[in-house]
Structure formats: C-alpha cells, structure tokens
Amino acid sequence: MEHFDVMEKYGHEQIVFCSNKESGLRAIIAIHDTTLGPAIGGTRMWNYKDVNEALEDVLRLSRGMTYKASIAGLNFGGGNAVIIGDSETAKTELLFRTFGKFIQGLSGRYITAEDVGTTVKDMEYVLMETEHVTGISKALGGSGDPAPVSAYGVYVGIKACAKAKWGSDSLEGKKIVVQGAGQVSRYLCEHLDNEGAVIYISDLVESKINRMLDSVKAEVISPEQVYSMEADIFAPCALGAVINDKTIPKFRFDIIAGSANNQLADEDKHGKKLLEKGILYAPDYVINAGGLINVSNELNGYRQDRALKQADGIYDTLTKVIEISNEQKIPTNLASNKIAEERLKKIGGIRKIYSGK
Ligand code: NAD
C-alpha cells in the first residue's frame, strides 16, 4: 500500500524521516494521534532489513501507543520512533544527539523514551539536545527503571482477572507460570510470592533465574514446559507472539495475563481463539501500561507513589474490559480497543469545543 493510504487507513498524523550523514543517523518518527496530548512512545533501535520494514514497525508501534495511553487515562497521544542500525555496534553520542535535534524540531509534538535496543544512557544524550525525552536516570531528575511500576500494574491486573474468573482476587495457592525472569518478572514475582501464589518460573538465562530465587520462592521449569503446564494463570513476561497457532492447543490455563508486548501473534484470530477456549486474556497494552504511566509521570516531576497510585487503576480498567467482553461476547482485546477509541472520540469532542470548531 502507498504510504499516504496507510496513514489514512490507520489514522496516522505525521511521519518524519530523519537522515544525517555525519552521524550515520537514519531514523523514522511516527506520530499517530495527538487528540489526547503530545505523542509519547519509545525509540527502538534495530537492524531492520530495509526502510519498509522499519516503517511498518514504527507505524504499528505508534498506533499501539495511542491505544495504550488512551485506555490508561493519560493525556498523551501515540507516537514511536525507530533508528535503523545495530544497537550493539552503531551507537555513538553523535547519533543520539543528532536524533535529539530532530525531536526538538517537533517542538514537543513527540516525546521519546527508551525501547528495545536503546538505554537510559542513550536517552541522556538525547536530553542534551531536547527536553522532550523521558526514561532518564533518577540522578538526572528522571524516573529510572520503570519495571517496579510496570510489575505492580501487571500484579493488580492479574488480581482483576482472578476476581472476574473466580469471584475472589486472592492469588493465594494459585499456580502461576511466569515466562521470563527479567526486570518486570522479578518485581512481579515478589508480589505474587508475598500473596502465597505457587510460582513456576522459566528463563533461557540461568543467572536471571538465580537472581530471582534470591528473593522469591519458585519452582524452575524449562522454557519448553511453559506452554503445556497445567496451571491457573500464565504470565508471559518475555517475548511477543507467544499466543499463536502452535501454543493455543497446548494451553491448560484459566487466565493469561503478563507484561510482554504484542502477545497475540494475530490480534483478530488469536484473541477469538482464547475466548472460544474459555481462557480469560488480559490485553497486553492494558495490563502493561505501568511502564508508560511511569515515564509519563516524569514530565510532571517524578514521584513513584503517584505513579503506583495511577497503576492501581489498571485493576478497574481491566474489570471494565472483561465486563464489556462478557456482555458483548467479544474477545477482550476488541473490548479494550473499544474503550480506548471511545475515550479518544469523547475527548476529541471536548477539544473541538475549546478550539471553537
Ligand atoms: P527483560 O529483558 O529484563 O526480561 C526478559 C527476560 O525474558 C530475559 O531474562 C530473557 O532471558 C527472558 N526470555 C527471553 N526469551 C525467553 C523464553 N523463550 N523463555 C523464557 N524466558 C525468555 O525485559 P523486561 O523489561 O522484564 O520486559 C519483559 C516484557 O515486558 C517485554 O516484552 C517488554 O517489552 C514488556 N514490557 C516491559 C516494561 C518495563 O517496564 N520494562 C513495560 C511494558 C512492557
């Protein structure tokens, strides 16, 4: 499809191609929708095979951010950026400062943060050229690691699912398979352990598991065992696309709720399949919004207690998503899209009143 047709189909407002010979920067910034406020979303650095692949990714990611910010009740729109290049070898101060200049040129219409392939340090170079950046270290007045707030949001989200499924949100004695023992998982498992859940943990990296076992009681399972375990809850906290044609037939879970982005390999098909199988799925962008809540708080003078309070709202949001899914007999991922779109429509209406249009 031609670029303008794609923008029109999915409602993107603006795409900025950034190129600079001296630094080697080749980046794309996509602003999807600024109805609710300036577009916010991370910068991904990846060795894309060509510009089309990078463009496709940034268009998809930026649109996802509009939905995530909307349903989280934030006054931000959706945007994202991609830098084409190898994050292991191609990073320089000049590259990120040049990228910062391009962001500054958007005068606050887009606010960036770290994402796959970029780090707090990279964002600190961006900060040297623009104030429109979040995810900065605490030492420089930022919010630091978002994982504690992300994990807390996932924890309350799991509780909301439990309440809807079993009538009680207690996780005591519930068997929970957690995929990935990384940053979010580590804090999540502490909450689950404190509540007396029975945790089964898996990671590809042994040191991650060992670090987890220092503070949490859990049984270690192999990455291959994850999908076919018989358990109450599956919490994907590693990769995307883990809910797919191959894994769904193996599932013997009542609930799937975890932090990973893009869990459904195919949004339309696999959300429906989970509904048919009677598995309650917490839409990823609803339950993992704690990370976005955390960085967005940075813009108003960061306070973790305020970010955690906001992340608490994920419980009620998910409850509403599940109610709509039950009432309208639609997959939860479609129910959450509806809520996000409705808020955009309503607030868009108010904005028109204020601007006299
Ligand atoms: P992380 O890199 O710290 O942890 C991911 C872990 O998953 C790693 O330890 C990795 O070894 C492990 N892993 C990879 N493949 C695996 C497999 N097949 N089986 C088992 N383990 C495997 O990442 P994170 O920051 O904890 O984020 C986890 C997920 O949550 C990601 O999908 C991320 O996009 C999403 N997310 C994170 C945040 C945040 O605040 N960090 C916010 C929103 C969403």
Side-chain angles (χ1 to χ4, degrees), residues 146-147 150 179-180 182-184 202-205 208 237-239 259-261 288:
S150 299
Q179 184 181 44
Q183 283 301 95
V184 178
S202 155
D203 200 294
L204 303 176
V205 183
K208 297 281 179 86
C237 297
L239 307 171
S259 73
N261 277 311
N288 74 15

Side-chain angles (χ1 to χ4, degrees), residues 226-265:
V226 165
Y227 304 117
S228 46
M229 286 287 292
E230 190 165 2
D232 300 298
I233 300 167
F234 170 38
C237 297
L239 307 171
V242 292
I243 302 172
N244 56 48
D245 287 336
K246 281 195 184 143
T247 56
I248 292 176
K250 297 182 186 168
F251 287 161
R252 288 178 295 167
F253 311 115
D254 289 334
I255 293 170
I256 298 181
S259 73
N261 277 311
N262 308 317
Q263 291 171 32
L264 300 171

Side-chain angles (χ1 to χ4, degrees), residues 73-335:
L74 299 171
N75 286 326
F76 288 99
N80 237 94
V82 293
I83 296 178
I84 302 170
D86 190 333
S87 63
E88 296 292 322
T89 56
K91 284 185 181 180
T92 59
E93 175 182 353
L94 183 63
L95 183 93
F96 284 100
R97 291 186 68 163
T98 307
F99 180 58
K101 281 270 186 211
F102 280 101
I103 294 177
Q104 181 64 11
L106 287 166
S107 310
R109 267 175 61 71
Y110 169 63
I111 301 161
T112 199
E114 60 262 51
D115 193 274
V116 176
T118 57
T119 62
V120 171
K121 176 141 187 59
D122 303 330
M123 291 307 123
E124 287 171 3
Y125 288 133
V126 173
L127 179 69
M128 290 178 187
E129 303 300 332
T130 181
E131 63 190 304
H132 307 299
V133 52
T134 58
I136 302 299
S137 67
K138 282 191 175 155
L140 290 179
S143 57
D145 181 11
V149 176
S150 299
Y152 181 69
V154 175
Y155 167 63
V156 298
I158 291 177
K159 286 178 79 66
C161 291
K163 174 83 178 163
K165 196 77 181 170
W166 303 305
S168 159
D169 68 9
S170 168
L171 301 176
E172 194 179 354
K174 296 291 180 201
K175 291 182 177 174
I176 309 184
V177 174
V178 182
Q179 184 181 44
Q183 283 301 95
V184 178
S185 170
R186 186 172 141 217
Y187 294 105
L188 170 65
C189 288
E190 281 178 6
H191 290 298
L192 300 177
D193 191 29
N194 286 340
E195 211 179 310
V198 181
I199 303 169
Y200 299 89
I201 187 77
S202 155
D203 200 294
L204 303 176
V205 183
E206 205 184 330
S207 60
K208 297 281 179 86
I209 300 252
N210 292 340
R211 187 184 64 170
M212 166 85 78
L213 295 178
D214 280 345
S215 58
V216 162
K217 189 165 157 274
E219 190 178 313
V220 181
I221 58 170
S222 72
E224 295 73 37
Q225 278 177 286
V226 165
Y227 304 117
S228 46
M229 286 287 292
E230 190 165 2
D232 300 298
I233 300 167
F234 170 38
C237 297
L239 307 171
V242 292
I243 302 172
N244 56 48
D245 287 336
K246 281 195 184 143
T247 56
I248 292 176
K250 297 182 186 168
F251 287 161
R252 288 178 295 167
F253 311 115
D254 289 334
I255 293 170
I256 298 181
S259 73
N261 277 311
N262 308 317
Q263 291 171 32
L264 300 171
D266 179 325
E267 289 278 329
D268 297 331
K269 184 171 147 191
H270 297 128
K272 200 160 159 250
K273 279 211 165 167
L274 291 180
L275 178 69
E276 284 163 8
K277 230 180 143 155
I279 298 173
L280 173 54
Y281 167 65
D284 44 18
Y285 72 82
V286 181
I287 195 165
N288 74 15
L292 175 61
I293 288 171
N294 198 63
V295 290
S296 68
N297 258 277
E298 202 173 309
L299 299 163
N300 308 316
Y302 184 69
R303 275 190 16 223
Q304 195 182 62
D305 58 341
R306 188 177 54 198
L308 286 168
K309 183 95 193 72
Q310 259 179 297
D312 243 337
I314 290 173
Y315 187 107
D316 288 342
T317 307
L318 258 175
T319 303
K320 199 168 144 201
V321 166
I322 297 164
E323 273 168 17
I324 291 178
S325 160
N326 288 340
E327 278 163 23
Q328 301 185 16
K329 299 192 175 22
I330 55 171
T332 46
N333 55 309
L334 293 189

